[in-house]
Amino acid sequence: MEKAAANALPPLRFLAVLAVTAWTFFLYFHFSVISGTVEVSHGDDDGADPCRGRYIYMHDLPPRFNTDIIRNCRKTEDHWGDMCGALSNAGLGRPLADRTDGVLKSEAGWYATHQFALDAVFHNRMKQYECLTNHSAVAAAVFVPFYAGFDFVRYHWGYDNAARDAASVDLTKWLMERPEWRRMGGRDHFLVAGRTGWDFRRSNNVNPDWGTDLLVMPAGRNMSVLVLESAMLHGNDYPVPYPTYFHPRSDADVIRWQDRVRGQQRTWLMAFVGAPRPDVPINIRVRDHVIAQCKASSACTMLGCARATGSTQCHTPGNIMRLFQKTTFCLQPPGDTCTRRSAFDSMVAGCIPVFFHPGSAYKQYRWHLPVDDHLRYSVYIPDADVRERNVSIEAVLRAIPPAAVERMRKEVIRLIPRVLYADPRYKLETIKDAVDVAVEGVLNTVARIRNGEYVDSGGPVTEDPPNLFASTESRFRPVRPVQADR
């Protein structure tokens, strides 16, 4: 019996070692899940995990898709100027210190931010996202930190289409080989391309040599791509606000700025900042008429801008914000495209935007701006009326009752946090900025896709009426007197 017991010991030792090993693996996995910000079950208490349904996995892309692209930022100096300075401070650019009349003096969070720097700004903000996870299996969405906007710049001039598309083609191959991609065919992935959607749809453009074809490639067609302006082709490019000059570091920075613009004395009725667009077809060129009306009005102030390379007149933040803070209504006609960075700069200054085309805001930015009543925060004057010289912009704006103007300004000031990007190196506590709103939009979009819904950036047909001009026409338009028959 003693001999039999001795012969049984090795198997017992083996089972004991096996049990200890299994228990060790269980404890390791359990605690790594908790420490790695992975979604953990808490029984029936769905509210116990604040990140439930909000976890995001961020691909660790090879540096050729992001850091290597901006490392060669001086490659753009032949046309766009040196972008290196604009990429400092986590993509915000150089700090501003305006000492002329205190427009920005003593205010924290102001930078000379380039309007096309969103790739880097958004990526750096996502690094601080509170529900980031290293376990892709529990992620509600997957972020792809590809610098598509900067990639556009570096090969846009003097290169063929193969060179322009090389990085996008490479990214497509890389993503489609990942297990995370195969789970939903990439429909749960999103990236940020900090330019307009037209810059990534060369096949849909009039100019066959403009931009890349990222959005029409297999990977690009499946992902949600956040751009500064959607091409509105019922695709997957979702618009987010242009970066402004203000990047708060705390809730207090936001509240302090809102209080400042709320109490600002506004001595001008209307203002325009921008340059003429003589290369735009004359049948759709409304900007020239807006400029002409502004010049002819004693109630309008203007910061004219030269389009010459190297001109800085309209890239001096102090001048721009000074003008916007002194103005009640800021005119925002289309330029090269329907949308403008100026619309968001003016809103940050508490200036009520005046739009002349529904594609400038109303058919864009549905995540960030009101969609039920556009006239809560803006004025709409159809561009056709201005081009045909049937409407005086000044007369329309003067006809708006003071109480209505005050309500509109309050709404603009309320929207300020939603249209700015917080400093990526800090964290807002209770206020949601443009990144927070965009991430919520992505998570909602992916959830709807998982539920079997067909989702695209064009929105439901019921929200996109055929006669959008008439449905959003300003209620403040003066009524023309009826002329008696002669």
Side-chain angles (χ1 to χ4, degrees):
M1 290 182 61
E2 292 178 357
K3 186 174 181 182
N7 290 336
L9 285 178
L12 290 175
R13 288 198 188 98
F14 174 77
L15 291 175
V17 170
L18 187 62
V20 170
T21 302
W23 183 247
T24 301
F25 273 110
F26 169 78
L27 291 176
Y28 172 80
F29 175 76
H30 178 73
F31 287 106
S32 67
V33 163
I34 296 176
S35 62
T37 65
V38 176
E39 189 170 7
V40 182
S41 174
H42 293 275
D44 295 332
D45 186 5
D46 290 338
D49 182 5
C51 288
R52 182 179 297 277
R54 298 174 56 228
Y55 285 103
I56 290 180
Y57 176 80
M58 181 164 60
H59 274 302
D60 184 16
L61 294 182
R64 67 181 181 275
F65 294 120
N66 40 51
T67 56
D68 286 352
I69 293 176
I70 60 174
R71 186 175 293 120
N72 296 324
C73 52
R74 297 191 191 279
K75 276 181 76 80
T76 65
E77 62 187 2
D78 57 338
H79 182 78
W80 296 103
D82 188 350
M83 289 285 289
C84 294
L87 292 170
S88 60
N89 295 301
L92 304 183
R94 61 176 179 81
L96 295 176
D98 189 311
R99 304 299 182 193
T100 54
D101 61 4
V103 176
L104 306 179
K105 186 177 180 180
S106 302
E107 296 287 350
W110 288 86
Y111 295 83
T113 305
H114 198 284
Q115 66 173 338
F116 296 139
L118 190 58
D119 298 29
V121 174
F122 206 105
H123 183 199
N124 286 313
R125 278 279 280 108
M126 287 304 298
K127 291 176 182 178
Q128 307 298 328
Y129 180 64
E130 66 273 15
C131 295
L132 211 58
T133 177
N134 292 326
H135 299 266
S136 62
V138 299
V142 179
F143 177 53
V144 182
F146 171 50
Y147 289 178
F150 293 123
D151 179 56
F152 167 97
V153 174
R154 65 174 177 167
Y155 291 128
H156 185 59
W157 300 98
Y159 295 88
D160 60 18
N161 288 339
R164 296 185 181 105
D165 288 341
S168 298
V169 171
D170 194 10
L171 177 74
T172 295
K173 183 175 184 298
W174 190 92
L175 285 173
M176 295 179 75
E177 291 176 349
R178 307 266 79 77
E180 293 83 10
W181 183 271
R182 291 193 289 270
R183 184 172 58 189
M184 285 184 64
R187 298 298 299 274
D188 57 349
H189 283 50
F190 72 103
L191 66 79
V192 175
R195 298 185 66 90
T196 73
W198 295 110
D199 292 333
F200 309 103
R201 289 182 177 276
R202 190 179 60 248
S203 298
N204 300 116
N205 291 340
V206 175
N207 186 343
D209 295 323
W210 182 271
T212 75
D213 251 351
L214 171 65
L215 286 176
V216 298
M217 293 180 184
R221 288 199 302 268
N222 283 14
M223 290 186 286
S224 296
V225 182
L226 310 188
V227 293
L228 300 180
E229 174 183 327
S230 171
M232 297 187 292
L233 296 177
H234 289 278
N236 59 324
D237 50 333
Y238 296 87
V240 295
Y242 285 78
T244 66
Y245 300 113
F246 184 37
H247 306 279
R249 303 172 184 176
S250 65
D251 290 13
D253 287 348
V254 179
I255 296 170
R256 188 162 47 244
W257 180 256
Q258 287 176 304
D259 288 341
R260 173 168 180 157
V261 298
R262 189 177 291 115
Q264 190 74 35
Q265 292 294 319
R266 300 184 183 269
T267 56
W268 293 97
L269 175 68
M270 56 187 184
F272 173 71
V273 175
R277 287 294 188 270
D279 47 350
V280 175
I282 194 168
N283 62 317
I284 60 172
R285 190 191 304 167
V286 68
R287 183 177 288 208
D288 289 354
H289 299 282
V290 171
I291 293 174
Q293 288 202 30
C294 184
K295 288 181 176 180
S297 171
S298 60
C300 189
T301 182
M302 190 171 77
L303 182 61
C305 308
R307 296 196 70 190
T309 302
S311 173
T312 60
Q313 189 175 5
C314 276
H315 298 283
T316 305
N319 292 341
I320 295 171
M321 299 308 295
R322 183 180 304 111
L323 183 147
F324 285 158
Q325 286 183 79
K326 294 179 179 179
T327 308
T328 299
F329 297 100
C330 291
L331 310 179
Q332 305 297 347
D336 294 327
T337 64
C338 288
T339 63
R340 304 185 71 207
R341 173 203 174 129
S342 176
F344 299 102
D345 286 332
S346 66
M347 291 181 67
V348 168
C351 189
I352 301 167
V354 180
F355 297 115
F356 301 86
H357 191 286
S360 294
Y362 307 148
K363 294 182 72 174
Q364 308 276 351
Y365 315 116
R366 294 170 184 248
W367 295 342
H368 295 80
L369 298 177
V371 296
D372 53 343
D373 185 0
H374 304 301
L375 299 185
R376 283 165 49 192
Y377 73 96
S378 67
V379 177
Y380 177 63
I381 304 174
D383 62 348
D385 288 348
V386 177
R387 285 187 284 106
E388 294 167 8
R389 298 177 175 85
N390 293 328
V391 166
S392 163
I393 299 172
E394 180 178 347
V396 171
L397 300 181
R398 287 197 183 280
I400 303 177
V405 174
E406 185 59 29
R407 287 195 300 269
M408 295 165 78
R409 183 182 297 115
K410 285 182 179 179
E411 181 67 7
V412 168
I413 294 173
R414 185 189 71 82
L415 291 170
I416 287 177
R418 300 175 66 87
V419 300
L420 54 78
Y421 296 89
D423 190 321
R425 298 162 296 184
Y426 297 85
K427 180 174 174 55
L428 304 184
E429 295 300 326
T430 62
I431 293 176
K432 294 180 179 180
D433 75 337
V435 172
D436 295 319
V437 175
V439 169
E440 287 182 358
V442 168
L443 292 173
N444 178 61
T445 297
V446 174
R448 291 172 60 195
I449 292 172
R450 280 199 175 96
N451 288 337
E453 296 182 45
Y454 173 75
V455 181
D456 67 37
S457 59
V461 174
T462 55
E463 295 180 8
D464 191 7
N467 194 3
L468 188 61
F469 282 93
S471 65
T472 59
E473 190 167 343
S474 173
R475 64 173 71 104
F476 305 115
R477 285 187 62 193
V479 178
R480 293 186 211 160
V482 178
Q483 295 182 352
D485 294 334
R486 295 187 179 182

